[in-house]
């Protein structure tokens, strides 16, 4: 519960900071970095510690297909994953953070 609260506070602070920057006239540029999160359905406890939703630990076929399509359509994302030695066919979901960076979930 404390982790969830801390995460909510951090996300709120990040959102408030970008809103404040917009009000000040400073353009907020989306981040181009990619965070890789490895999931393992066999170790449910590790996934819970990282607050990975169960829908990502056990993704549906449509979720995987959507992630794979996003990789094919975005050359910059594809290149970033290749640079980090990610097996592209193991990507199960892609999320976009508040700052525009990507969170890529890999099994």
């Amino acid at each position: 519960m404390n982790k969830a609260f801390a995460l909510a506070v951090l996300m709120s602070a990040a959102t408030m900071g970008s809103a404040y920057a917009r009000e000040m006239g400073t353009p907020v540029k989306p981040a181009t970095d990619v965070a890789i999160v490895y999931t393992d359905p066999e170790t449910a406890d590790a996934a819970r510690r990282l607050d990975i939703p169960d829908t990502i630990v056990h993704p549906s076929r449509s979720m995987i297909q959507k992630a794979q399509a996003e990789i094919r359509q975005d050359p910059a994302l594809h290149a970033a994953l290749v640079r980090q030695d990610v097996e592209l066919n193991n990507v199960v979901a892609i999320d976009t953070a508040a700052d525009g960076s990507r969170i890529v979930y890999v099994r």
Side-chain angles (χ1 to χ4, degrees):
M1 184 70 176
N2 289 337
K3 290 180 186 177
F5 179 72
L7 180 62
V9 169
L10 287 173
M11 290 176 62
S12 176
T15 304
M16 287 174 23
S18 63
Y20 178 73
R22 278 193 297 271
E23 289 173 9
M24 295 299 296
T26 306
V28 177
K29 297 179 182 176
T32 57
D33 62 324
V34 175
I36 308 298
V37 177
Y38 290 94
T39 65
D40 185 359
E42 300 299 320
T43 57
D45 290 337
R48 271 191 233 116
R49 276 184 268 140
L50 294 173
D51 293 326
I52 300 171
D54 193 50
T55 56
I56 292 177
V57 175
H58 303 287
S60 66
R61 181 175 296 279
S62 64
M63 180 184 287
I64 294 170
Q65 289 172 343
K66 180 181 174 189
Q68 296 293 320
E70 191 170 338
I71 293 169
R72 285 190 299 276
Q73 294 171 358
D74 188 341
L77 176 61
H78 183 275
L81 294 174
V82 168
R83 273 194 307 274
Q84 295 188 36
D85 294 325
V86 172
E87 292 286 333
L88 300 178
N89 59 334
N90 287 335
V91 173
V92 296
I94 300 173
D95 215 0
T96 303
D99 66 356
S101 63
R102 303 269 180 83
I103 304 167
V104 177
Y105 296 94
V106 181
R107 63 177 141 185

